[in-house]
Coordinates of all heavy atoms in Angstrom, one line a residue:
M58 N 284.6 99.8 -0.4 CA 284.5 98.4 0.0 C 285.8 97.7 -0.4 O 286.2 97.8 -1.5 CB 283.3 97.8 -0.7 CG 282.2 97.4 0.2 SD 281.0 96.4 -0.6 CE 280.0 96.1 0.7
N59 N 286.3 96.9 0.5 CA 287.5 96.2 0.2 C 287.1 94.7 0.2 O 286.0 94.3 0.3 CB 288.6 96.4 1.2 CG 288.2 96.1 2.6 OD1 287.3 95.4 2.9 ND2 288.9 96.7 3.6
E60 N 288.1 93.9 0.0 CA 287.9 92.4 -0.2 C 287.3 91.8 1.1 O 286.5 90.9 1.0 CB 289.2 91.7 -0.5 CG 289.3 91.3 -2.0 CD 290.6 90.5 -2.3 OE1 290.7 89.4 -1.8 OE2 291.4 91.1 -3.0
Q61 N 287.8 92.2 2.2 CA 287.3 91.7 3.5 C 285.8 92.0 3.7 O 285.1 91.2 4.2 CB 288.1 92.2 4.7 CG 289.5 91.7 4.7 CD 290.3 92.3 5.9 OE1 289.9 93.4 6.4 NE2 291.3 91.7 6.3
D62 N 285.4 93.2 3.3 CA 284.0 93.6 3.3 C 283.1 92.7 2.4 O 282.0 92.3 2.8 CB 283.8 95.0 3.0 CG 284.4 96.0 4.0 OD1 284.6 95.5 5.1 OD2 284.6 97.1 3.6
I63 N 283.6 92.4 1.2 CA 282.9 91.6 0.3 C 282.8 90.1 0.9 O 281.7 89.5 0.8 CB 283.5 91.6 -1.1 CG1 283.4 93.0 -1.7 CG2 283.0 90.5 -2.0 CD1 284.1 93.2 -2.9
D64 N 283.9 89.6 1.4 CA 283.9 88.3 2.0 C 282.9 88.2 3.2 O 282.1 87.3 3.3 CB 285.2 87.9 2.5 CG 286.2 87.6 1.4 OD1 285.7 87.3 0.3 OD2 287.4 87.6 1.6
L65 N 282.8 89.3 4.0 CA 281.9 89.3 5.1 C 280.5 89.3 4.6 O 279.6 88.6 5.1 CB 282.1 90.6 5.9 CG 281.3 90.8 7.2 CD1 281.7 89.9 8.3 CD2 281.4 92.2 7.6
Y66 N 280.2 90.1 3.6 CA 278.9 90.1 3.0 C 278.5 88.8 2.4 O 277.4 88.3 2.6 CB 278.8 91.2 1.9 CG 277.6 91.1 1.0 CD1 276.4 91.6 1.5 CD2 277.6 90.6 -0.3 CE1 275.2 91.5 0.7 CE2 276.5 90.5 -1.0 CZ 275.3 91.0 -0.6 OH 274.2 90.9 -1.3
L67 N 279.4 88.1 1.7 CA 279.1 86.8 1.1 C 278.9 85.7 2.2 O 278.0 84.9 2.1 CB 280.2 86.4 0.2 CG 280.2 87.2 -1.1 CD1 281.4 86.8 -2.0 CD2 278.9 87.1 -1.9
R68 N 279.6 85.8 3.3 CA 279.4 84.8 4.4 C 278.1 85.0 5.0 O 277.4 84.1 5.4 CB 280.5 85.0 5.4 CG 281.8 84.3 5.1 CD 282.7 84.2 6.3 NE 283.0 85.6 6.6 CZ 283.4 86.0 7.9 NH1 283.5 85.1 8.8 NH2 283.7 87.2 8.1
A69 N 277.7 86.3 5.2 CA 276.4 86.6 5.8 C 275.2 86.1 4.9 O 274.2 85.7 5.4 CB 276.3 88.0 6.1
K70 N 275.4 86.2 3.6 CA 274.4 85.9 2.7 C 274.1 84.4 2.5 O 273.0 84.0 2.1 CB 274.7 86.6 1.4 CG 273.6 86.6 0.4 CD 273.9 87.4 -0.8 CE 273.0 87.2 -1.9 NZ 272.0 88.2 -2.1
N71 N 275.1 83.6 2.7 CA 275.0 82.2 2.4 C 274.8 81.4 3.6 O 275.7 81.0 4.4 CB 276.3 81.7 1.7 CG 276.2 80.3 1.2 OD1 275.2 79.7 1.3 ND2 277.3 79.8 0.7
P72 N 273.5 80.9 3.9 CA 273.2 80.1 5.0 C 273.6 78.6 4.9 O 273.5 77.9 5.8 CB 271.7 80.3 5.2 CG 271.2 80.5 3.8 CD 272.3 81.2 3.1
W73 N 274.0 78.2 3.7 CA 274.3 76.8 3.4 C 275.8 76.5 3.5 O 276.2 75.5 2.9 CB 273.7 76.4 2.1 CG 272.2 76.5 2.1 CD1 271.5 77.4 1.4 CD2 271.3 75.7 2.8 NE1 270.1 77.2 1.7 CE2 270.0 76.2 2.6 CE3 271.5 74.6 3.7 CZ2 268.9 75.6 3.1 CZ3 270.3 74.0 4.2 CH2 269.1 74.5 3.9
R74 N 276.5 77.3 4.2 CA 277.9 77.0 4.3 C 278.1 75.8 5.3 O 277.2 75.5 6.1 CB 278.7 78.2 4.9 CG 278.6 79.5 4.1 CD 279.7 79.8 3.3 NE 281.0 79.5 3.9 CZ 282.1 80.2 3.7 NH1 282.0 81.3 2.9 NH2 283.2 79.9 4.2
L75 N 279.2 75.2 5.2 CA 279.5 74.0 6.0 C 279.4 74.2 7.5 O 278.8 73.4 8.2 CB 280.9 73.4 5.6 CG 281.3 72.1 6.3 CD1 280.3 71.0 6.0 CD2 282.7 71.7 5.9
G76 N 279.9 75.4 7.9 CA 279.8 75.7 9.4 C 278.4 75.9 9.8 O 278.0 75.4 10.9
N77 N 277.5 76.5 9.1 CA 276.1 76.7 9.5 C 275.4 75.3 9.5 O 274.6 75.1 10.4 CB 275.4 77.6 8.5 CG 275.9 79.1 8.7 OD1 276.4 79.4 9.8 ND2 275.7 79.9 7.7
I78 N 275.6 74.5 8.5 CA 275.0 73.2 8.5 C 275.4 72.3 9.6 O 274.6 71.7 10.3 CB 275.3 72.5 7.1 CG1 274.6 73.3 6.0 CG2 274.8 71.1 7.1 CD1 275.0 72.8 4.6
A79 N 276.7 72.3 9.9 CA 277.2 71.5 11.0 C 276.7 72.0 12.4 O 276.3 71.2 13.2 CB 278.8 71.6 11.0
A80 N 276.6 73.3 12.5 CA 276.0 73.8 13.8 C 274.5 73.4 13.9 O 274.1 73.1 15.0 CB 276.2 75.3 13.8
G81 N 273.8 73.5 12.8 CA 272.4 73.1 12.9 C 272.2 71.6 13.2 O 271.4 71.2 14.0
I82 N 273.1 70.8 12.6 CA 273.0 69.3 12.9 C 273.4 69.0 14.3 O 272.8 68.2 15.0 CB 273.9 68.5 11.9 CG1 273.3 68.6 10.5 CG2 274.1 67.1 12.4 CD1 274.2 68.0 9.4
A83 N 274.4 69.7 14.8 CA 274.8 69.5 16.2 C 273.7 70.0 17.2 O 273.5 69.3 18.2 CB 276.1 70.3 16.5
L84 N 273.1 71.1 16.9 CA 272.0 71.5 17.8 C 270.8 70.5 17.7 O 270.2 70.2 18.8 CB 271.5 72.9 17.3 CG 270.4 73.5 18.2 CD1 270.9 73.8 19.6 CD2 270.0 74.8 17.5
L85 N 270.5 70.0 16.6 CA 269.5 69.0 16.4 C 269.8 67.7 17.2 O 269.0 67.1 17.9 CB 269.2 68.6 14.9 CG 268.1 67.6 14.6 CD1 266.8 68.3 14.9 CD2 268.2 67.2 13.2
M86 N 271.1 67.3 17.1 CA 271.5 66.1 17.8 C 271.5 66.3 19.3 O 271.1 65.4 20.1 CB 272.9 65.6 17.4 CG 272.9 65.1 16.0 SD 271.8 63.7 15.7 CE 272.4 62.5 16.9
A87 N 271.8 67.5 19.8 CA 271.8 67.7 21.2 C 270.4 67.7 21.7 O 270.1 67.2 22.8 CB 272.5 69.1 21.5
G88 N 269.4 68.3 21.0 CA 268.0 68.3 21.3 C 267.5 66.8 21.3 O 266.7 66.5 22.2
L89 N 267.9 66.1 20.3 CA 267.5 64.7 20.3 C 268.0 63.9 21.5 O 267.3 63.1 22.1 CB 267.9 64.0 19.0 CG 267.5 62.6 18.7 CD1 266.0 62.5 18.6 CD2 268.2 62.1 17.5
A90 N 269.2 64.2 21.9 CA 269.8 63.5 23.1 C 269.0 63.8 24.3 O 268.8 63.0 25.2 CB 271.3 63.9 23.2
L91 N 268.6 65.1 24.4 CA 267.8 65.5 25.6 C 266.5 64.8 25.6 O 266.1 64.3 26.7 CB 267.6 67.0 25.5 CG 266.8 67.6 26.7 CD1 267.6 67.5 28.0 CD2 266.4 69.0 26.4
V92 N 265.8 64.7 24.5 CA 264.6 63.9 24.5 C 264.8 62.5 24.8 O 264.0 61.9 25.5 CB 263.9 64.2 23.1 CG1 262.7 63.2 22.9 CG2 263.5 65.6 22.9
V93 N 265.8 61.9 24.2 CA 266.0 60.4 24.3 C 266.4 60.1 25.8 O 266.1 59.0 26.3 CB 267.1 60.0 23.4 CG1 267.7 58.6 23.7 CG2 266.6 60.0 21.9
S94 N 267.0 61.1 26.5 CA 267.4 60.8 27.9 C 266.2 60.6 28.8 O 266.4 60.0 29.9 CB 268.3 61.9 28.4 OG 267.6 63.1 28.5
F95 N 265.1 61.1 28.4 CA 263.9 60.9 29.2 C 263.1 59.6 28.9 O 262.1 59.3 29.6 CB 263.0 62.1 29.1 CG 263.5 63.3 29.8 CD1 264.0 64.4 29.0 CD2 263.6 63.4 31.1 CE1 264.5 65.5 29.6 CE2 264.1 64.6 31.8 CZ 264.6 65.6 31.0
I96 N 263.5 58.9 27.9 CA 262.8 57.6 27.5 C 263.7 56.5 28.1 O 264.8 56.3 27.7 CB 262.7 57.5 26.0 CG1 261.9 58.7 25.4 CG2 262.1 56.2 25.7 CD1 261.9 58.7 23.9
P97 N 263.1 55.8 29.1 CA 263.9 54.8 29.8 C 264.6 53.7 28.9 O 265.7 53.3 29.1 CB 263.0 54.2 30.8 CG 261.9 55.2 31.0 CD 261.8 55.9 29.7
A98 N 263.8 53.3 27.9 CA 264.4 52.2 27.1 C 265.5 52.7 26.2 O 266.3 51.9 25.7 CB 263.2 51.7 26.2
L99 N 265.6 54.0 25.9 CA 266.6 54.6 25.0 C 267.6 55.5 25.7 O 268.4 56.1 25.0 CB 265.9 55.4 23.9 CG 264.9 54.6 23.0 CD1 264.2 55.6 22.1 CD2 265.6 53.5 22.2
S100 N 267.5 55.6 27.0 CA 268.3 56.6 27.7 C 269.8 56.3 27.6 O 270.7 57.1 27.7 CB 267.9 56.7 29.2 OG 268.1 55.5 29.8
S101 N 270.2 55.0 27.4 CA 271.6 54.6 27.2 C 272.2 55.2 25.9 O 273.4 55.3 25.8 CB 271.8 53.1 27.3 OG 271.1 52.5 26.3
Y102 N 271.3 55.5 25.0 CA 271.8 56.0 23.7 C 272.0 57.5 23.7 O 272.5 58.1 22.7 CB 270.8 55.6 22.6 CG 270.7 54.2 22.3 CD1 269.6 53.5 22.6 CD2 271.8 53.5 21.7 CE1 269.5 52.1 22.4 CE2 271.7 52.1 21.5 CZ 270.6 51.4 21.8 OH 270.5 50.1 21.6
A103 N 271.6 58.2 24.8 CA 271.7 59.6 24.8 C 273.2 60.1 24.8 O 273.5 61.1 24.2 CB 271.0 60.2 26.1
R104 N 274.0 59.3 25.5 CA 275.5 59.7 25.5 C 276.1 59.6 24.1 O 276.9 60.4 23.7 CB 276.2 58.9 26.5 CG 276.3 57.4 26.2 CD 277.2 56.7 27.2 NE 276.9 55.3 27.0 CZ 276.7 54.5 28.0 NH1 276.8 54.9 29.2 NH2 276.4 53.2 27.8
Y105 N 275.6 58.7 23.3 CA 276.1 58.6 21.9 C 275.6 59.7 21.0 O 276.3 60.2 20.2 CB 275.7 57.2 21.3 CG 276.2 56.0 22.0 CD1 275.4 55.1 22.6 CD2 277.6 55.8 22.1 CE1 275.9 54.0 23.3 CE2 278.1 54.7 22.8 CZ 277.3 53.8 23.4 OH 277.8 52.8 24.0
A106 N 274.4 60.1 21.3 CA 273.8 61.3 20.5 C 274.6 62.6 20.9 O 274.9 63.4 20.1 CB 272.3 61.4 20.8
L107 N 274.9 62.7 22.2 CA 275.7 63.9 22.7 C 277.1 63.8 22.1 O 277.6 64.9 21.7 CB 275.7 63.9 24.2 CG 274.4 64.5 24.8 CD1 274.5 64.4 26.3 CD2 274.2 65.9 24.4
L108 N 277.7 62.7 22.1 CA 279.0 62.6 21.5 C 279.0 62.9 20.0 O 279.9 63.7 19.5 CB 279.6 61.1 21.7 CG 280.9 60.8 21.1 CD1 282.0 61.7 21.8 CD2 281.3 59.4 21.2
L109 N 278.0 62.4 19.3 CA 277.9 62.8 17.9 C 277.7 64.3 17.7 O 278.3 64.9 16.8 CB 276.8 62.0 17.2 CG 276.5 62.2 15.7 CD1 277.8 61.7 15.0 CD2 275.3 61.5 15.3
A110 N 276.8 64.9 18.6 CA 276.6 66.3 18.5 C 277.9 67.1 18.7 O 278.2 68.1 18.0 CB 275.5 66.7 19.5
F111 N 278.7 66.7 19.7 CA 280.0 67.3 20.0 C 280.9 67.2 18.8 O 281.6 68.2 18.4 CB 280.6 66.7 21.3 CG 281.9 67.3 21.6 CD1 282.0 68.6 22.2 CD2 283.1 66.6 21.3 CE1 283.2 69.1 22.5 CE2 284.3 67.2 21.6 CZ 284.4 68.4 22.2
I112 N 281.0 66.0 18.3 CA 281.9 65.8 17.1 C 281.5 66.7 15.9 O 282.4 67.3 15.3 CB 282.0 64.3 16.8 CG1 282.8 63.6 17.9 CG2 282.7 64.1 15.4 CD1 282.7 62.1 17.7
V113 N 280.3 66.6 15.6 CA 279.8 67.4 14.4 C 279.9 68.9 14.7 O 280.3 69.6 13.8 CB 278.3 67.0 14.1 CG1 277.8 68.0 13.1 CG2 278.3 65.6 13.5
G114 N 279.6 69.3 15.9 CA 279.7 70.7 16.2 C 281.0 71.3 16.2 O 281.3 72.5 15.8
T115 N 282.0 70.5 16.6 CA 283.4 71.0 16.7 C 284.2 70.6 15.4 O 285.4 71.1 15.3 CB 284.1 70.5 17.9 OG1 284.1 69.1 17.9 CG2 283.4 71.0 19.2
S116 N 283.7 69.9 14.5 CA 284.4 69.4 13.4 C 284.9 70.6 12.4 O 285.9 70.5 11.8 CB 283.7 68.4 12.6 OG 282.5 68.9 12.1
T117 N 284.1 71.6 12.4 CA 284.4 72.7 11.5 C 284.9 73.9 12.2 O 285.3 74.9 11.6 CB 283.2 73.1 10.7 OG1 282.2 73.6 11.6 CG2 282.6 72.0 9.8
Y118 N 285.0 73.9 13.5 CA 285.5 75.0 14.3 C 287.0 75.3 14.0 O 287.8 74.4 14.1 CB 285.3 74.8 15.8 CG 285.6 76.0 16.6 CD1 284.7 77.1 16.7 CD2 286.8 76.1 17.3 CE1 285.0 78.2 17.4 CE2 287.1 77.2 18.0 CZ 286.2 78.2 18.1 OH 286.5 79.3 18.8
G119 N 287.3 76.5 13.6 CA 288.6 76.9 13.4 C 289.3 76.6 12.1 O 290.5 76.8 11.9
V120 N 288.6 76.0 11.2 CA 289.2 75.6 9.9 C 288.7 76.5 8.7 O 288.8 76.2 7.6 CB 288.9 74.1 9.5 CG1 289.7 73.2 10.4 CG2 287.4 73.8 9.6
G121 N 288.2 77.7 9.1 CA 287.8 78.6 8.0 C 286.4 78.5 7.5 O 286.0 79.1 6.6
H122 N 285.6 77.6 8.1 CA 284.3 77.3 7.7 C 283.2 78.1 8.5 O 282.1 78.0 8.2 CB 283.9 75.9 7.6 CG 284.7 75.1 6.6 ND1 284.6 75.2 5.3 CD2 285.7 74.2 6.8 CE1 285.4 74.5 4.7 NE2 286.1 73.8 5.6
R123 N 283.7 78.7 9.6 CA 282.7 79.5 10.4 C 282.2 80.6 9.6 O 282.9 81.4 9.1 CB 283.4 80.0 11.7 CG 283.8 78.8 12.6 CD 284.5 79.3 13.8 NE 283.7 80.3 14.5 CZ 284.3 81.2 15.3 NH1 285.5 81.2 15.5 NH2 283.5 82.1 15.8
S124 N 280.9 80.7 9.5 CA 280.3 81.7 8.6 C 279.3 82.6 9.4 O 278.6 83.4 8.7 CB 279.7 81.1 7.4 OG 278.7 80.2 7.9
Y125 N 279.2 82.5 10.7 CA 278.3 83.4 11.4 C 278.8 84.8 11.3 O 280.0 85.1 11.6 CB 278.2 82.9 12.8 CG 277.3 83.9 13.6 CD1 276.0 83.9 13.5 CD2 277.9 84.8 14.5 CE1 275.2 84.8 14.2 CE2 277.2 85.7 15.2 CZ 275.8 85.7 15.1 OH 275.1 86.6 15.8
V126 N 278.0 85.7 11.0 CA 278.3 87.1 10.9 C 277.3 87.9 11.8 O 276.1 87.8 11.7 CB 278.2 87.7 9.5 CG1 278.5 89.2 9.4 CG2 279.1 86.9 8.6
S127 N 277.9 88.6 12.8 CA 277.0 89.3 13.7 C 276.4 90.5 13.1 O 276.8 91.1 12.1 CB 277.8 89.7 14.9 OG 278.7 90.8 14.6
R128 N 275.3 91.0 13.7 CA 274.6 92.2 13.3 C 275.6 93.4 13.3 O 275.5 94.3 12.5 CB 273.4 92.4 14.1 CG 272.6 93.6 13.7 CD 271.4 93.7 14.6 NE 270.7 94.9 14.1 CZ 269.7 95.5 14.8 NH1 269.3 94.9 15.9 NH2 269.1 96.5 14.3
R129 N 276.4 93.4 14.4 CA 277.3 94.5 14.5 C 278.3 94.6 13.4 O 278.6 95.7 12.9 CB 278.1 94.4 15.8 CG 279.1 95.5 16.1 CD 279.8 95.4 17.4 NE 279.4 94.3 18.2 CZ 280.2 93.6 19.0 NH1 281.5 93.9 19.1 NH2 279.8 92.6 19.7
D130 N 278.8 93.4 12.9 CA 279.7 93.4 11.8 C 279.0 93.9 10.5 O 279.6 94.6 9.7 CB 280.3 92.0 11.5 CG 281.2 91.6 12.6 OD1 281.7 92.4 13.4 OD2 281.4 90.4 12.8
L131 N 277.8 93.5 10.3 CA 277.1 93.9 9.1 C 276.8 95.4 9.1 O 276.9 96.1 8.1 CB 275.8 93.2 8.9 CG 275.9 91.7 8.5 CD1 274.6 91.0 8.5 CD2 276.5 91.6 7.1
L132 N 276.4 96.0 10.3 CA 276.2 97.4 10.4 C 277.4 98.2 10.2 O 277.4 99.3 9.6 CB 275.5 97.7 11.8 CG 274.1 97.3 11.9 CD1 273.6 97.6 13.3 CD2 273.2 98.0 10.9
A133 N 278.6 97.7 10.7 CA 279.8 98.3 10.4 C 280.2 98.3 9.0 O 280.7 99.3 8.4 CB 281.0 97.6 11.2
L134 N 279.9 97.3 8.3 CA 280.1 97.2 6.8 C 279.2 98.2 6.1 O 279.7 99.0 5.2 CB 279.8 95.8 6.3 CG 279.7 95.6 4.8 CD1 281.1 95.7 4.2 CD2 279.1 94.3 4.5
I135 N 278.0 98.4 6.5 CA 277.1 99.3 5.9 C 277.6 100.8 6.2 O 277.6 101.6 5.3 CB 275.6 99.1 6.4 CG1 275.1 97.8 5.8 CG2 274.7 100.3 5.9 CD1 273.8 97.3 6.4
D136 N 278.0 101.0 7.4 CA 278.5 102.3 7.8 C 279.7 102.7 7.0 O 279.8 103.8 6.5 CB 278.9 102.4 9.3 CG 277.7 102.6 10.2 OD1 276.6 103.0 9.6 OD2 277.8 102.3 11.4
R137 N 280.6 101.7 6.8 CA 281.8 102.0 6.0 C 281.5 102.3 4.5 O 282.0 103.2 3.9 CB 282.8 100.8 6.0 CG 283.6 100.8 7.3 CD 284.8 99.8 7.2 NE 284.3 98.4 6.8 CZ 284.0 97.5 7.7 NH1 284.0 97.7 9.0 NH2 283.6 96.3 7.3
S138 N 280.5 101.6 4.0 CA 280.1 101.8 2.6 C 279.4 103.2 2.5 O 279.6 103.9 1.5 CB 279.1 100.7 2.2 OG 279.7 99.5 2.2
I139 N 278.5 103.6 3.4 CA 277.9 104.8 3.3 C 278.9 106.0 3.5 O 278.8 107.0 2.8 CB 276.7 104.9 4.4 CG1 275.6 104.0 4.0 CG2 276.2 106.3 4.6 CD1 274.5 103.9 5.0
N140 N 279.8 105.8 4.5 CA 280.7 106.9 4.8 C 281.7 107.1 3.6 O 282.4 108.2 3.6 CB 281.5 106.6 6.1 CG 280.5 106.8 7.3 OD1 279.5 107.5 7.2 ND2 280.8 106.1 8.3
S141 N 281.9 106.2 2.7 CA 282.8 106.3 1.7 C 282.2 106.9 0.4 O 282.9 107.2 -0.6 CB 283.5 105.0 1.3 OG 282.5 104.1 0.8
D142 N 280.9 107.1 0.4 CA 280.2 107.6 -0.8 C 279.5 108.9 -0.4 O 278.5 108.9 0.4 CB 279.2 106.6 -1.3 CG 278.6 106.9 -2.6 OD1 278.9 108.0 -3.1 OD2 277.8 106.1 -3.2
P143 N 279.9 110.0 -1.0 CA 279.3 111.3 -0.6 C 277.8 111.4 -1.0 O 277.0 112.0 -0.3 CB 280.0 112.4 -1.5 CG 281.3 111.7 -1.9 CD 281.0 110.2 -1.9
K144 N 277.4 110.7 -2.0 CA 275.9 110.7 -2.4 C 275.1 110.0 -1.3 O 274.0 110.5 -1.0 CB 275.7 110.1 -3.8 CG 276.3 110.9 -4.9 CD 276.0 110.1 -6.2 CE 276.7 110.8 -7.4 NZ 276.5 110.1 -8.6
L145 N 275.6 108.9 -0.9 CA 274.9 108.2 0.2 C 274.8 109.0 1.5 O 273.8 109.0 2.2 CB 275.5 106.8 0.4 CG 275.3 105.8 -0.7 CD1 276.1 104.5 -0.4 CD2 273.9 105.5 -0.9
I146 N 275.9 109.7 1.8 CA 275.9 110.5 3.0 C 274.8 111.6 2.9 O 274.1 111.8 3.9 CB 277.3 111.2 3.2 CG1 278.3 110.1 3.6 CG2 277.3 112.2 4.3 CD1 279.8 110.6 3.6
A147 N 274.7 112.2 1.7 CA 273.7 113.2 1.5 C 272.3 112.6 1.6 O 271.4 113.2 2.2 CB 273.9 113.9 0.2
M148 N 272.1 111.4 1.1 CA 270.8 110.8 1.1 C 270.4 110.4 2.6 O 269.3 110.7 3.0 CB 270.8 109.5 0.3 CG 270.7 109.7 -1.2 SD 270.9 108.2 -2.2 CE 269.6 107.2 -1.6
V149 N 271.4 109.9 3.4 CA 271.1 109.6 4.7 C 270.8 110.8 5.6 O 269.8 110.8 6.3 CB 272.3 108.8 5.4 CG1 272.1 108.6 6.8 CG2 272.4 107.4 4.7
S150 N 271.6 111.9 5.4 CA 271.3 113.1 6.1 C 270.0 113.7 5.8 O 269.3 114.2 6.7 CB 272.5 114.1 6.0 OG 272.6 114.5 4.6
S151 N 269.6 113.7 4.5 CA 268.3 114.3 4.1 C 267.2 113.5 4.7 O 266.2 114.0 5.1 CB 268.2 114.4 2.6 OG 268.1 113.2 2.0
R152 N 267.3 112.2 4.7 CA 266.3 111.3 5.2 C 266.2 111.5 6.7 O 265.1 111.6 7.3 CB 266.7 109.8 4.9 CG 265.7 108.8 5.4 CD 264.5 108.8 4.6 NE 264.7 108.2 3.3 CZ 264.0 107.2 2.8 NH1 263.0 106.7 3.5 NH2 264.2 106.8 1.6
M153 N 267.3 111.6 7.4 CA 267.3 111.9 8.9 C 266.6 113.2 9.2 O 265.9 113.3 10.1 CB 268.7 111.8 9.5 CG 269.2 110.3 9.5 SD 270.9 110.2 10.0 CE 270.8 110.8 11.6
S154 N 266.9 114.2 8.4 CA 266.4 115.6 8.7 C 264.8 115.6 8.4 O 264.1 116.2 9.1 CB 267.0 116.6 7.8 OG 266.8 116.4 6.5
R155 N 264.4 114.8 7.4 CA 263.0 114.7 7.1 C 262.2 114.0 8.2 O 261.1 114.4 8.6 CB 262.7 113.9 5.8 CG 262.6 114.8 4.6 CD 262.0 114.1 3.4 NE 263.2 113.5 2.7 CZ 263.2 112.4 2.0 NH1 262.2 111.7 1.9 NH2 264.3 112.1 1.4
K156 N 262.9 113.0 8.8 CA 262.2 112.2 9.9 C 262.2 113.1 11.1 O 261.2 113.0 11.9 CB 262.9 110.9 10.2 CG 262.7 109.9 9.1 CD 263.1 108.5 9.6 CE 262.8 107.6 8.5 NZ 262.5 106.3 9.0
S157 N 263.2 113.9 11.4 CA 263.1 114.7 12.6 C 262.1 115.9 12.4 O 261.7 116.4 13.5 CB 264.5 115.3 12.8 OG 264.9 116.2 11.8
L158 N 261.8 116.3 11.2 CA 260.8 117.3 11.0 C 259.3 116.9 11.1 O 258.4 117.6 11.3 CB 261.0 118.0 9.7 CG 262.3 118.8 9.6 CD1 262.4 119.4 8.1 CD2 262.4 119.9 10.6
Q159 N 259.1 115.6 11.0 CA 257.8 115.0 11.0 C 257.2 115.1 12.4 O 257.9 114.8 13.4 CB 257.8 113.5 10.5 CG 258.1 113.4 9.1 CD 258.1 111.9 8.7 OE1 258.0 111.0 9.5 NE2 258.1 111.7 7.4
P160 N 255.9 115.4 12.5 CA 255.3 115.4 13.9 C 255.2 114.0 14.4 O 254.9 113.1 13.7 CB 253.9 116.1 13.6 CG 253.7 115.9 12.2 CD 255.0 115.8 11.5
K161 N 255.3 113.9 15.7 CA 255.2 112.6 16.3 C 253.9 112.3 16.9 O 253.0 113.0 17.2 CB 256.3 112.5 17.5 CG 257.6 112.5 16.9 CD 258.6 112.4 18.0 CE 260.0 112.5 17.4 NZ 261.0 112.5 18.4

């Protein structure tokens, strides 16, 4: 495991990073704007809610706060970790051979 792998793991583990919070708030504001647009007395405020959602959603984009980690990246990290340790390779291969011998 190298430093980039550890950073990837820590980003995936922490849901309270600024990027995740901002994305959640932006999604909430966009949903609120959709609901408000159907209420005639408040429909003029929908554009302000959408503007706020856009500002909050894009405020952290590209400044190093993006913390979404895809499943593919996590599986690649696990594969690299397993492939670098002979004991883990043996454990995985023995587990796979046991599962293939079990009746279906």
